[in-house]
Amino acid sequence: MRSHVTRRARTRVAALLLAPVLALSAVACSEDEPVDPEAPVDVEVGEEFSWNGFTVPAGWEYDTITETVALEEQTHPLVRARVVNDGDEARSALFEFVFVAEGEALATVRCNSTEELAPEQEGDLFCPGYGEPVPEGYDTVVVQPVTRS
């Protein structure tokens, strides 16, 4: 009889220990909130990332470009990348990289695909940072929808 009580007690303890875990997993599984595909996402230079149904494969680069404007040399940030349309229909990529230091935006580089991309098609991203300062000492790069300022 004692063994029966001990077994019952162990079952209750196990149930009490598992209850919070099961409750948390039920909450996690029941959250059907849609994920915003245009929510800003932190990325690492050169590492693959996905945003808004597009994937930028590993190997993308941050660089600068120097050009002469009105007889004056100007240096701007530049992102060189490819992009893949992960969606179900043809569309163009359009987003921006924001280079941030300690929570403050240093430079914004707007990107768009050079052509409309069919599903699963890969193409070039055109990302000149015309008129933007070269971001020195950035600690974060954020990909987000194009903002008008």
Side-chain angles (χ1 to χ4, degrees):
M1 184 75 163
R2 182 175 181 169
S3 137
H4 180 68
V5 171
T6 305
R7 192 174 301 141
R8 185 180 297 167
R10 279 188 292 204
T11 303
R12 285 184 187 156
V13 169
L16 288 173
L17 291 175
L18 284 176
V21 173
L22 294 173
L24 285 175
S25 66
V27 168
C29 293
S30 68
E31 288 183 18
D32 291 331
E33 291 183 31
V35 176
D36 181 1
E38 291 190 354
V41 61
D42 291 2
V43 299
E44 294 290 328
V45 173
E47 292 186 15
E48 179 177 297
F49 68 88
S50 294
W51 183 83
N52 195 23
F54 289 97
T55 296
V56 173
W60 64 276
E61 302 173 328
Y62 162 70
D63 202 352
T64 58
I65 185 171
T66 301
E67 53 191 1
T68 304
V69 177
L71 301 176
E72 184 178 313
E73 280 196 352
Q74 296 180 358
T75 302
H76 309 285
L78 172 72
V79 173
R80 295 173 195 211
R82 303 276 293 163
V83 64
V84 178
N85 179 2
D86 297 329
D88 296 339
E89 56 190 54
R91 61 201 179 114
S92 298
L94 179 63
F95 55 87
E96 60 190 23
F97 290 91
V98 182
F99 293 82
V100 180
E102 298 179 11
E104 185 174 327
L106 301 176
T108 301
V109 178
R110 290 175 177 83
C111 294
N112 61 291
S113 52
T114 55
E115 61 184 309
E116 187 173 85
L117 302 171
E120 302 304 318
Q121 182 181 359
E122 183 173 344
D124 290 320
L125 273 178
F126 180 67
C127 310
Y130 297 131
E132 290 291 313
V134 174
E136 301 287 338
Y138 64 89
D139 53 38
T140 306
V141 180
V142 178
V143 171
Q144 66 182 28
V146 171
T147 56
R148 306 285 181 214
S149 49

